[in-house]
Amino acid sequence: MKKHMTRNIILMLVLDVILGIVLALYIANTGTVPAADNADTYTDGTYTSSAQGCLSEVGVTVTITGGKVTNVVIDASGETPELGGKAAETLSASLLAAGSTVGVDAVSGSTMTSDAVFAAMNDCLAQAAQ
């Protein structure tokens, strides 16, 4: 009985590795670009939006240059400095690197501020996509 279980486990591990290789080759050959590559093309300009955070409206200003996100400024001055303020700093860098909210996680302890930032960022990008 143990031999069969061991064989099955080994077979599953081998299949997982093979599937991982196939997926990597597929992604490489189809030109699929990860979200962190900031590959979306938008209309150049500066776009502003806001959404309700924990204590206040949280503002986001996104600058698009050359069709890509080149600056993200978050105004969370009405939020708690230790939580919402720190989240704004972290999210600004993460959103700039990603070029969108895709793949960017909320900051622990600042979920409402993070959600407001994501909503405002998405609205800015929707404006830029029109």
Coordinates of all heavy atoms in Angstrom, one line a residue, residues 72-109:
V72 N 2.0 58.5 -9.2 CA 0.8 58.3 -8.4 C 1.0 59.1 -7.1 O 1.9 58.8 -6.4 CB 0.6 56.8 -8.2 CG1 -0.7 56.6 -7.3 CG2 0.4 56.0 -9.4
V73 N 0.1 60.0 -6.9 CA 0.1 60.8 -5.7 C -1.2 60.5 -4.9 O -2.3 60.6 -5.5 CB 0.3 62.3 -5.9 CG1 0.2 63.1 -4.6 CG2 1.5 62.6 -6.7
I74 N -1.0 60.2 -3.7 CA -2.2 59.8 -2.8 C -2.3 60.8 -1.7 O -1.3 61.1 -1.0 CB -2.1 58.4 -2.3 CG1 -2.0 57.4 -3.4 CG2 -3.2 58.1 -1.3 CD1 -1.7 56.0 -3.0
D75 N -3.4 61.5 -1.5 CA -3.7 62.4 -0.4 C -4.6 61.7 0.6 O -5.8 61.6 0.4 CB -4.3 63.7 -0.9 CG -4.7 64.6 0.2 OD1 -4.2 64.4 1.4 OD2 -5.3 65.6 -0.1
A76 N -4.0 61.2 1.6 CA -4.7 60.6 2.7 C -4.5 61.4 4.0 O -4.5 60.8 5.1 CB -4.2 59.1 2.9
S77 N -4.4 62.7 3.8 CA -4.1 63.6 5.0 C -5.2 63.6 6.0 O -5.0 63.9 7.2 CB -3.8 65.0 4.5 OG -4.9 65.5 3.8
G78 N -6.4 63.2 5.7 CA -7.5 63.1 6.6 C -7.6 61.8 7.3 O -8.5 61.6 8.2
E79 N -6.8 60.9 7.0 CA -6.8 59.5 7.6 C -5.8 59.6 8.8 O -5.0 60.5 9.0 CB -6.3 58.5 6.6 CG -7.2 58.3 5.4 CD -8.6 57.8 5.7 OE1 -8.7 56.5 5.8 OE2 -9.5 58.5 5.8
T80 N -5.8 58.5 9.6 CA -4.9 58.4 10.7 C -3.5 58.3 10.2 O -3.2 57.4 9.4 CB -5.2 57.2 11.6 OG1 -6.6 57.2 12.0 CG2 -4.3 57.1 12.8
P81 N -2.6 59.2 10.6 CA -1.2 59.2 10.0 C -0.5 57.9 10.1 O 0.2 57.5 9.2 CB -0.5 60.3 10.8 CG -1.6 61.2 11.3 CD -2.8 60.3 11.5
E82 N -0.6 57.3 11.3 CA 0.1 56.0 11.5 C -0.4 54.9 10.7 O 0.4 53.9 10.4 CB 0.1 55.6 13.0 CG 0.7 56.6 14.0 CD -0.3 57.7 14.3 OE1 -1.6 57.5 14.2 OE2 0.1 58.8 14.6
L83 N -1.6 54.9 10.2 CA -2.2 53.8 9.5 C -2.5 54.2 8.0 O -1.8 53.8 7.1 CB -3.5 53.3 10.1 CG -3.4 52.8 11.5 CD1 -4.8 52.5 12.1 CD2 -2.6 51.5 11.5
G84 N -3.4 55.1 7.8 CA -3.8 55.5 6.5 C -2.6 56.3 5.8 O -2.4 56.1 4.6
G85 N -1.9 57.1 6.6 CA -0.8 57.9 6.0 C 0.3 56.9 5.5 O 0.9 57.1 4.4
K86 N 0.6 56.0 6.3 CA 1.7 55.0 6.0 C 1.2 54.2 4.8 O 2.0 53.8 3.9 CB 2.0 54.1 7.1 CG 2.6 54.8 8.3 CD 4.1 55.1 8.0 CE 4.7 55.7 9.2 NZ 6.0 56.3 9.0
A87 N -0.1 53.8 4.7 CA -0.6 53.0 3.6 C -0.5 53.8 2.3 O -0.2 53.3 1.3 CB -2.1 52.7 3.9
A88 N -0.8 55.1 2.4 CA -0.7 56.0 1.2 C 0.7 55.9 0.6 O 0.9 55.8 -0.6 CB -1.1 57.4 1.5
E89 N 1.7 56.0 1.5 CA 3.1 56.0 1.0 C 3.5 54.6 0.3 O 4.0 54.6 -0.7 CB 4.1 56.2 2.2 CG 4.0 57.5 2.8 CD 4.9 57.6 4.1 OE1 5.8 56.8 4.3 OE2 4.6 58.5 4.9
T90 N 3.1 53.6 1.0 CA 3.3 52.2 0.5 C 2.6 52.0 -0.8 O 3.2 51.5 -1.8 CB 2.9 51.2 1.5 OG1 3.6 51.4 2.7 CG2 3.2 49.8 1.0
L91 N 1.3 52.3 -0.9 CA 0.5 52.1 -2.1 C 0.9 52.9 -3.2 O 0.9 52.5 -4.4 CB -1.0 52.3 -1.7 CG -1.6 51.3 -0.8 CD1 -3.0 51.7 -0.4 CD2 -1.6 49.9 -1.5
S92 N 1.4 54.1 -3.0 CA 1.8 55.0 -4.1 C 2.9 54.4 -4.9 O 2.9 54.3 -6.1 CB 2.3 56.4 -3.5 OG 2.7 57.2 -4.6
A93 N 3.9 53.8 -4.2 CA 5.0 53.2 -4.9 C 4.6 51.9 -5.5 O 5.0 51.6 -6.7 CB 6.1 52.9 -3.8
S94 N 3.7 51.1 -4.9 CA 3.3 49.8 -5.5 C 2.4 50.1 -6.7 O 2.6 49.3 -7.7 CB 2.5 49.1 -4.4 OG 3.3 48.7 -3.3
L95 N 1.5 51.0 -6.7 CA 0.7 51.3 -7.8 C 1.5 51.9 -9.0 O 1.2 51.5 -10.1 CB -0.4 52.3 -7.4 CG -1.5 51.8 -6.4 CD1 -2.3 52.9 -5.9 CD2 -2.3 50.7 -7.1
L96 N 2.5 52.7 -8.7 CA 3.3 53.2 -9.8 C 4.1 52.0 -10.4 O 4.2 52.0 -11.7 CB 4.3 54.2 -9.2 CG 5.3 54.8 -10.2 CD1 4.6 55.5 -11.4 CD2 6.3 55.7 -9.5
A97 N 4.6 51.1 -9.6 CA 5.4 50.0 -10.2 C 4.5 49.1 -11.0 O 4.9 48.6 -12.1 CB 6.0 49.2 -9.0
A98 N 3.3 48.9 -10.5 CA 2.3 48.0 -11.2 C 1.7 48.6 -12.4 O 1.3 48.0 -13.4 CB 1.3 47.4 -10.3
G99 N 1.5 49.9 -12.3 CA 0.8 50.7 -13.4 C -0.7 50.5 -13.3 O -1.5 51.0 -14.2
S100 N -1.2 49.8 -12.3 CA -2.6 49.6 -12.0 C -2.8 49.0 -10.6 O -1.8 48.9 -9.9 CB -3.2 48.7 -13.1 OG -2.8 47.4 -12.9
T101 N -4.0 48.7 -10.3 CA -4.3 48.0 -9.0 C -4.1 46.5 -9.1 O -4.1 45.9 -8.0 CB -5.7 48.4 -8.5 OG1 -6.6 47.9 -9.5 CG2 -5.9 49.9 -8.3
V102 N -3.9 46.0 -10.3 CA -3.8 44.5 -10.4 C -2.5 44.0 -9.7 O -1.4 44.5 -10.0 CB -3.8 44.1 -11.9 CG1 -3.6 42.7 -12.1 CG2 -5.0 44.6 -12.6
G103 N -2.7 43.1 -8.8 CA -1.6 42.5 -8.1 C -1.1 43.3 -6.9 O -0.1 42.9 -6.3
V104 N -1.7 44.4 -6.6 CA -1.3 45.3 -5.5 C -2.2 44.9 -4.3 O -3.4 44.9 -4.4 CB -1.4 46.8 -5.8 CG1 -1.0 47.6 -4.6 CG2 -0.5 47.1 -7.0
D105 N -1.6 44.5 -3.2 CA -2.3 44.1 -2.0 C -2.6 45.3 -1.1 O -1.9 46.3 -1.1 CB -1.5 43.1 -1.2 CG -1.4 41.8 -1.9 OD1 -2.3 41.4 -2.7 OD2 -0.3 41.2 -1.7
A106 N -3.7 45.2 -0.4 CA -4.1 46.2 0.6 C -3.1 46.2 1.7 O -2.4 45.2 2.0 CB -5.5 45.9 1.2
V107 N -2.9 47.3 2.4 CA -1.9 47.4 3.5 C -2.6 46.9 4.7 O -3.7 47.4 5.1 CB -1.4 48.9 3.7 CG1 -0.5 49.0 4.9 CG2 -0.7 49.3 2.4
S108 N -2.0 46.0 5.4 CA -2.6 45.4 6.6 C -2.9 46.5 7.7 O -2.0 47.3 7.9 CB -1.6 44.4 7.2 OG -2.2 43.8 8.4
G109 N -4.0 46.5 8.2 CA -4.4 47.5 9.2 C -5.0 48.8 8.6 O -5.5 49.6 9.4

